[in-house]
């Protein structure tokens, strides 16, 4: 009896658990409830809106596909981000160095100062020849040296890195993950303009940002905090406690700075010693001072202001200082030979021995190193939370986790996501709803995204077409809309830069502002128009389009037909009445044909002369010429129409 | 957002530029058919030149009577006394000597139109180019997260609605940190490119331009419409003169260098009356760790380019000189002592040059103590004795009439040092 009851009980329990579990599962993969009908949108219009916000631009036929698959399923698939990307991977495989680790980059792409140092040391370049005499010859020498050593200029690394971003954005099937990678990179901005951290930037995007874009926010925060790119960009790698607070001998701290090195060099310099006999004492004093100001607050400030709480997030200067103390000792593991990064740590690590590191309180994870001898061991209080003395590495993790889960962070991140995906001024109601999800789920980005898309605000009039494309988004959406074949992605970067978005080179830790007005100024707008014309008329090298093929090889019968066909194709489900109305007069210019013809006549037509060595040559070429002129003018007309569409105000919006 | 519209002023555009060629047909049509954009009443213009890489202020303007400097720089120290083979420094006041490659600066200095500030720099003692430039350009030496740059804030503080897309102009390919922000600022690397372009197809370009103009005129998006209008008006403004065949006034010859070309285009914009009030240009190559040379060599080439470019610009300004003040800046100076490779490493204080009819010229301002070790910052560098914000805010105040230092430099309370006369 008892046993059977037990059995029944456990059956009941299992049954309930199964129901709970399946309902939970159902919830996870449930059809999302997208309230687009309430907003008066058709399914196709809703699909177009989804595509405009969660891809880099709809490709021809995408709307049909999303409708066929179902909007919810499509969005879920995008959140999962695990669609196969064979075609993209094939293209990426041509860029051999985009998968190098930081250590490999250090060795293969040394900074130019380091190359020079090596070349001088190896006797390949005499130090007296630097900046002197024949500069061409000198550059050649340096190039030869790099070649024999298998070294490459850093510019090449960045070229490959930028190219991969463009190809991924244009061709990846997992578009939302690309957008989120861009969003989070910009949120945790690091910059190629800062030489010291530049070579770590590719790995930062690849290993720190990309794998975490739909996961827990705290994971993103922690991995960025420990990444070489961020450690150097915001200087935390050099931040240490005072010698008093650490109870350590100065030389054990491995923090000899440039200044101190030069003091010591100077000490050896007799001439100067004669100048000032009291120098020794002064140097000692200065060194002592230096130890006291070993703290660097840059990262601690920005992690609160820009990465988590937001500037109005409720922290004080004292919180910044205390947080900086918590994060002392977080630095880079030694990497690379020849005085690469972390060289200061190298000796210490070697002295202690890799096996003893953990015992001595070090933490080494990949390129990250926690050095207990540089950590401020005293007690700290941040935002009212006490961190007892001796917390070591773990208190930093606790601090960042606390920041990641803070209510101000929930709001700040939600607002930023809504600003990127809904409109420039998201409603407080939407932000609150997203922040609630953020807090409930301990910062589950995926869930916050679902809340956002399920909100009426996402589908409202205030959102539709209200975002302005960034230059990068404009370029990629054009390329996708025209189904272009990109063989030289860097050419697009040149244009994107001209239009005002030098990707990866934004200097400030704020990242690019996410506001339409920021992107649109007189100069950049002109360049957007010129970009459209250049792309459509095939004047961007390495970016090929086939307008005819795009229209299933139908040649539009008239200019007007072209205008209609291509605007609909490039901007699906939009109201294009005004655009078409405004562009018609240009096409109906009765002189258009003859004008273009005239222009074409002036331009030399390619003549297949070599094969026409008979008497009819003249006649033949004449006929051919006329044909060619006709063809050219049609092609020109089509290119011009498409170019104007891409440069039009409607196409600047998404 | 305040409206940036409304700068189509009546009257204005005399068609004097049309005959010069290079004006696309649609513009002539447009000019004939609509109200032309107007000329702006010329206002004061501040031209800033950022010397990226950290100029060795001690070599540009050398305290040549200082025995410590002489000892610290066995092969780099230059003397003001003329010797047989070497060009001497130009003795400015018995204590400071101007590098001989900058000889063209001497006259304006003697005429009291040029002031020099020595020992200028940032209170933040970072010796990282990136950080120091970032701090100098944001104008907040201890705060990285400042979104805007100080020149952008300066544009916002001019106190009148500029209503011109050219109020702040940077002659660079992308906007520099100094111009980040919400106020109108535009980066132009080449004035000739400021147009709708279809290579080899002028007619096509004209038609496209007309279409664009129409499209942007009707769009429902407010700022796209506004900016579109501005863009086309900006093109028309630039078309008033023949940008390609510009002839500088007073036979001024600009060096054919990046800085020379930038300043030449700034001069063109000033003369075109497009409403520019803050201009920015850059000069590179100042990070002289190796063999910086003395009266010849890389440093000499750099200062020669700097001074020749500025003086060509000044001559070109001619009667407009009263309206213009030029100010140079660099992120920090270099070590007092030369290094092991005939160069100098990252230091602290440097010097800067301010040129204009309103400056308190003919004087080396600031404080440079004898360069004995106890006077050096961190025992190695020329101490920063004048905060860059002191000088920048004074020039902006006296020349542009920007009084609100709390916005221009939020954390700055200090005093000015009188680099401007009026």
């Amino acid at each position: 009896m008892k046993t059977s009851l037990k059995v029944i009980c456990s059956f009941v329990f299992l049954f309930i658990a199964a129901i709970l579990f399946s309902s939970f599962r159902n919830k996870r993969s449930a059809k999302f409830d997208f309230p687009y009908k309430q907003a008066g949108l058709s399914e196709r219009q809703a699909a177009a809106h989804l595509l405009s916000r969660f891809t880099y631009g709809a490709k021809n036929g995408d709307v049909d596909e999303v409708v066929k698959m179902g909007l919810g399923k499509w969005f879920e698939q995008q959140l999962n981000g695990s669609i196969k990307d064979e075609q993209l991977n094939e293209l990426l495989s041509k860029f051999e160095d985009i998968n190098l680790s930081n250590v490999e980059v250090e060795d293969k792409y040394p900074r130019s100062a380091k190359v020079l140092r090596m070349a001088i040391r190896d006797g390949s370049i005499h130090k007296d020849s630097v900046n002197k005499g024949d500069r061409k010859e000198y550059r050649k020498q340096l190039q030869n040296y790099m070649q024999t050593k298998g070294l490459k200029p850093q510019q090449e690394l960045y070229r490959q890195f930028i190219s991969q971003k463009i190809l991924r954005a244009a061709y990846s099937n997992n578009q939302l993950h690309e957008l989120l990678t861009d969003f989070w990179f910009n949120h945790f901005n690091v910059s190629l303009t800062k030489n010291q951290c530049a070579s770590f930037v590719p790995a930062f995007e690849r290993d720190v940002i990309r794998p975490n874009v739909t996961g827990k926010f705290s994971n993103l925060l922690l991995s960025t905090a420990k990444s070489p790119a961020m450690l150097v960009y915001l200087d935390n790698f050099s931040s240490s406690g005072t010698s008093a607070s650490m109870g350590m001998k100065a030389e054990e701290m491995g923090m000899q700075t440039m200044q101190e090195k030069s003091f010591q060099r100077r000490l050896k310099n007799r001439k100067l010693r004669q100048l000032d006999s009291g120098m020794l004492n002064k140097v000692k004093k200065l060194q002592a001072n230096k130890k006291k100001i070993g703290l660097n607050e840059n990262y601690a400030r920005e992690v609160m202001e820009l990465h988590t709480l937001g500037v109005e997030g409720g922290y004080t200067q004292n919180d910044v200082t205390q947080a900086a103390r918590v994060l002392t000792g977080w630095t880079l593991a030694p990497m690379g030979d020849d005085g690469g990064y972390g060289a200061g740590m190298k000796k210490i690590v070697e002295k202690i021995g890799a096996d003893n590191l953990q015992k001595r309180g070090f933490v080494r994870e990949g390129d990250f190193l926690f050095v207990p001898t540089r950590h401020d061991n005293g007690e700290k209080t941040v935002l009212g939370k006490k961190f007892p003395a001796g917390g070591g590495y773990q208190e930093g993790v606790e601090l960042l986790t606390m920041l990641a889960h803070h209510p101000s962070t929930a709001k700040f991140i939600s607002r930023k996501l809504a600003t990127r995906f809904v409109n420039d001024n998201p409603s407080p109601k939407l932000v609150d709803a997203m922040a609630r999800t953020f807090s409930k789920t301990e910062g589950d980005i995926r869930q916050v995204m679902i809340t956002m898309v399920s909100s009426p605000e996402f589908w409202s009039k205030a959102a539709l077409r209200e975002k302005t494309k960034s230059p990068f988004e404009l370029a990629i959406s054009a390329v996708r809309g025209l189904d272009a074949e990109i063989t030289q992605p860097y050419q697009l970067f040149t244009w994107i830069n001209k239009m005002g978005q030098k990707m990866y080179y934004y200097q400030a830790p704020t990242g690019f502002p996410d506001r339409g007005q920021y992107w649109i100024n007189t100069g950049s707008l002109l360049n957007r128009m010129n970009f459209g014309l250049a792309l459509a008329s095939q004047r961007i090298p390495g970016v090929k389009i086939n307008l005819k093929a795009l229209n299933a090889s139908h040649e539009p019968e008239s200019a007007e037909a072209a205008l209609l066909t291509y605007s609909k194709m490039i901007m699906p489900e939009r109201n294009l009445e005004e655009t078409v109305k405004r562009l018609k007069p240009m096409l109906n210019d009765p002189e258009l044909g003859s004008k273009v013809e005239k222009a074409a006549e002036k331009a030399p037509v390619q003549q297949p002369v070599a094969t026409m060595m008979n008497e009819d040559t003249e006649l033949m070429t004449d006929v051919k010429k006329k044909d060619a002129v006709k063809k050219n003018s049609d092609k020109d007309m089509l290119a011009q129409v498409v170019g104007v569409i891409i440069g039009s105000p409607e196409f600047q919006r998404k | 957002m305040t409206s940036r519209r409304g700068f189509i002023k009546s009257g204005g555009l005399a068609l004097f530029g049309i005959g010069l060629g290079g004006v696309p047909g649609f513009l002539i049509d447009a000019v004939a058919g609509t109200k032309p954009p107007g000329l702006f009443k010329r206002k004061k213009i501040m031209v800033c030149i950022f010397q990226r890489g950290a100029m060795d202020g001690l070599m540009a303007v050398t305290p040549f009577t200082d025995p410590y400097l002489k000892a610290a720089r066995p092969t780099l120290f230059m003397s003001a006394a003329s010797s047989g083979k070497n060009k001497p420094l130009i003795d400015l006041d018995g204590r400071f000597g101007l590098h001989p490659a900058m000889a063209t600066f001497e006259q304006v200095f003697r005429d009291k139109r040029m002031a020099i500030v020595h020992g200028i720099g940032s209170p933040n003692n970072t010796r990282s180019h990136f950080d120091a430039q970032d701090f100098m350009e944001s104008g907040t030496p201890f705060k990285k997260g400042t979104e805007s740059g100080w020149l952008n804030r300066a544009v916002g503080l001019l106190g009148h609605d500029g209503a011109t897309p050219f109020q702040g102009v940077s002659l660079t390919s992308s906007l520099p940190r100094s111009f980040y922000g919400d106020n109108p600022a535009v980066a132009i690397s080449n004035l000739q490119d400021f147009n709708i372009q279809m290579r080899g197809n002028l007619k096509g370009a004209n038609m496209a331009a007309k279409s664009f103009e129409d499209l942007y005129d009707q769009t429902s998006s407010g700022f796209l419409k506004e900016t579109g209008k501005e863009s086309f008006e900006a093109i028309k403004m630039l078309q008033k003169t023949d940008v390609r065949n510009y002839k500088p006034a007073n036979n001024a010859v600009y060096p054919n260098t990046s800085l020379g070309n930038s300043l030449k285009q700034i001069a063109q914009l000033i003369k075109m009356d497009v409403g520019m009030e803050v201009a920015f240009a850059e000069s590179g190559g100042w990070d002289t760790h190796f063999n910086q040379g003395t009266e010849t060599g890389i440093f000499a080439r750099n200062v020669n380019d700097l001074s020749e470019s500025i003086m060509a610009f000044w001559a070109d300004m001619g009667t407009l000189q009263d309206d213009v003040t030029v100010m140079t800046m660099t992120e920090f100076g270099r070590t007092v002592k030369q290094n092991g490779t005939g160069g100098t490493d990252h230091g602290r204080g440097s010097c800067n040059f301010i040129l204009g009819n309103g400056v308190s010229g003919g004087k080396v301002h600031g404080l440079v103590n004898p360069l004995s070790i106890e006077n050096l910052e961190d025992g190695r560098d020329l101490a920063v004795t004048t905060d860059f914000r002191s000088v920048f805010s004074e020039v902006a105040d006296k020349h542009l009439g920007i009084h609100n230092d709390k916005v221009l430099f939020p954390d700055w309370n200090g005093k000015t040092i009188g680099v401007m006369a009026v």
Side-chain angles (χ1 to χ4, degrees), chain A residues 116 127-128 130-131 193-194 259 263 266 269 276 302 468 506-507 515 522 530 578 586 592 647 653, chain B residues 127 130-131 134 145 165 180 182 195 197 207 211 216 218 220 223 231 290-291 337 340 373-374 378-379:
Chain A
L116 194 55
K127 69 176 182 180
D128 290 337
V130 181
N131 284 337
T193 55
K194 182 161 179 168
Q259 289 96 313
F263 291 146
R266 193 165 292 130
N269 184 325
D276 189 343
E302 303 312 351
T468 305
Y506 194 81
Q507 194 168 324
R515 279 192 316 275
T522 48
N530 282 327
E578 276 295 313
M586 145 175 130
L592 175 70
R653 310 166 76 173
Chain B
R127 288 169 176 82
F130 174 85
D131 292 339
D134 200 58
Y180 284 9
D182 288 337
N195 208 337
Q197 294 161 352
M207 284 194 299
S211 311
Y216 278 87
Q218 60 83 33
S220 62
F223 67 92
S231 298
F290 288 89
N291 299 334
K337 190 174 179 290
I373 187 111
E374 69 270 17
D378 298 326

Side-chain angles (χ1 to χ4, degrees), chain A residues 113 116-117 120 126-132 135 191 193-196 233-235 258-259 262-263 265-266 269 271-272 275-276 279 282-283 286 290 293 298 301-302 305-306 311 424 465-466 468 495 497-498 500 502 505-510 513 515-518 520-530 532-534 537 539 578-580 582-583 585-586 589 592 595-596 599 636 639-640 643-650 652-653, chain B residues 1 4 52 67-68 71-72 74 124-125 127-131 133-135 137 142-147 165-166 173-177 180-182 185-188 193-201 203-209 211-221 223-225 227-232 234-235 287-293 297-298 301 335-337 339-341 345-346 372-374 376-381:
Chain A
L116 194 55
R117 231 177 17 245
I120 290 173
H126 196 268
K127 69 176 182 180
D128 290 337
S129 70
V130 181
N131 284 337
K132 271 191 184 161
R135 274 186 278 183
S191 174
T193 55
K194 182 161 179 168
N195 280 333
Q196 297 94 313
Y233 179 63
L234 289 177
D235 307 319
M258 279 205 357
Q259 289 96 313
S262 95
F263 291 146
R265 274 206 301 273
R266 193 165 292 130
N269 184 325
K271 257 191 204 163
L272 272 174
L275 274 178
D276 189 343
M279 190 173 86
K282 278 213 172 78
V283 169
L286 280 164
K290 195 72 210 161
I293 53 163
N298 268 341
R301 181 184 312 283
E302 303 312 351
E305 179 178 327
L306 301 175
V311 69
D424 285 1
R465 296 158 58 240
E466 275 307 303
T468 305
W495 270 102
N497 179 19
K498 258 196 191 169
K502 198 167 181 185
Y505 285 85
Y506 194 81
Q507 194 168 324
T510 51
R515 279 192 316 275
Q517 272 101 334
Y518 173 77
I520 303 295
N521 66 54
T522 48
S524 68
L525 192 56
L526 269 183
N527 282 323
R528 284 175 183 242
M529 301 176 203
N530 282 327
L533 295 173
S537 55
R539 280 189 290 112
E578 276 295 313
T579 302
V580 171
R582 291 284 168 154
L583 286 182
M586 145 175 130
D589 182 345
L592 175 70
K595 278 173 191 163
V596 177
D636 280 357
Q640 196 165 323
V644 170
I645 293 173
I646 290 170
S648 73
E650 192 57 32
Q652 310 313 305
R653 310 166 76 173
Chain B
M1 197 184 123
R4 290 202 256 133
R52 300 205 185 271
Y68 300 100
N124 187 315
N125 71 352
R127 288 169 176 82
S128 141
H129 294 297
F130 174 85
D131 292 339
Q133 288 180 21
D134 200 58
F135 288 140
E137 296 195 75
F142 292 96
K143 207 163 168 297
K144 289 237 171 143
T146 308
E147 271 192 48
F166 295 113
S173 60
S174 44
L175 273 184
R177 180 78 168 93
Y180 284 9
D182 288 337
V186 57
I188 307 176
D193 294 344
F194 206 89
N195 208 337
I196 294 294
Q197 294 161 352
M198 287 182 83
R199 213 171 303 146
N201 184 359
K203 200 74 204 176
N206 292 350
M207 284 194 299
S211 311
F212 281 133
E213 202 173 357
D214 283 352
L215 281 173
Y216 278 87
D217 188 48
Q218 60 83 33
T219 182
S220 62
S221 159
F223 67 92
L224 280 173
K225 182 173 173 161
T227 314
K229 191 140 196 138
E230 282 176 10
S231 298
F232 287 98
I235 294 179
D287 196 16
T288 50
H289 289 281
F290 288 89
N291 299 334
Q292 74 184 56
I298 184 152
R301 280 199 296 275
T335 46
V336 170
K337 190 174 179 290
N339 64 19
T341 54
D345 295 323
H346 300 181
S372 59
I373 187 111
E374 69 270 17
L376 302 185
E377 197 164 326
D378 298 326
R380 51 177 257 156
D381 297 325

Side-chain angles (χ1 to χ4, degrees), chain B residues 347-361:
Chain B
R348 293 284 291 120
S350 188
C351 69
N352 82 330
F353 303 92
I354 305 153
L355 173 64
N357 290 344
V359 306
S360 169

Side-chain angles (χ1 to χ4, degrees), chain B residues 255-301:
Chain B
N256 189 17
T257 59
S258 158
L259 180 63
N261 286 323
S262 297
L263 286 174
K264 181 159 58 174
Q265 300 192 65
I266 288 174
Q268 288 176 270
L269 287 168
I270 291 172
K271 292 183 188 181
M272 280 186 235
D273 288 332
V274 295
M276 181 174 71
E277 294 174 75
V278 179
F280 181 92
E282 289 178 346
S283 149
W286 298 96
D287 196 16
T288 50
H289 289 281
F290 288 89
N291 299 334
Q292 74 184 56
T294 50
E295 75 269 12
T296 59
I298 184 152
F299 186 84
R301 280 199 296 275

Side-chain angles (χ1 to χ4, degrees), chain A residues 292-304:
Chain A
K292 274 185 207 135
I293 53 163
L295 195 66
N296 188 311
E297 292 180 357
N298 268 341
Y299 178 69
R301 181 184 312 283
E302 303 312 351
V303 79
M304 292 197 223

Side-chain angles (χ1 to χ4, degrees), chain A residues 194-246:
Chain A
K194 182 161 179 168
N195 280 333
Q196 297 94 313
C197 76
S199 60
F200 300 135
V201 172
F204 177 79
E205 181 182 274
R206 185 190 63 220
D207 302 338
V208 177
I209 301 292
R210 190 175 287 284
N212 293 310
V213 295
T214 55
K216 295 272 184 180
F217 177 72
S218 53
N219 289 341
L220 259 175
L221 183 65
L222 259 171
S223 14
T224 53
K226 289 155 79 170
S227 69
M230 187 62 77
L231 282 164
V232 177
Y233 179 63
L234 289 177
D235 307 319
N236 200 50
F237 81 103
S238 68
S239 182
S240 73
T242 62
S243 40
S245 72
M246 294 179 291

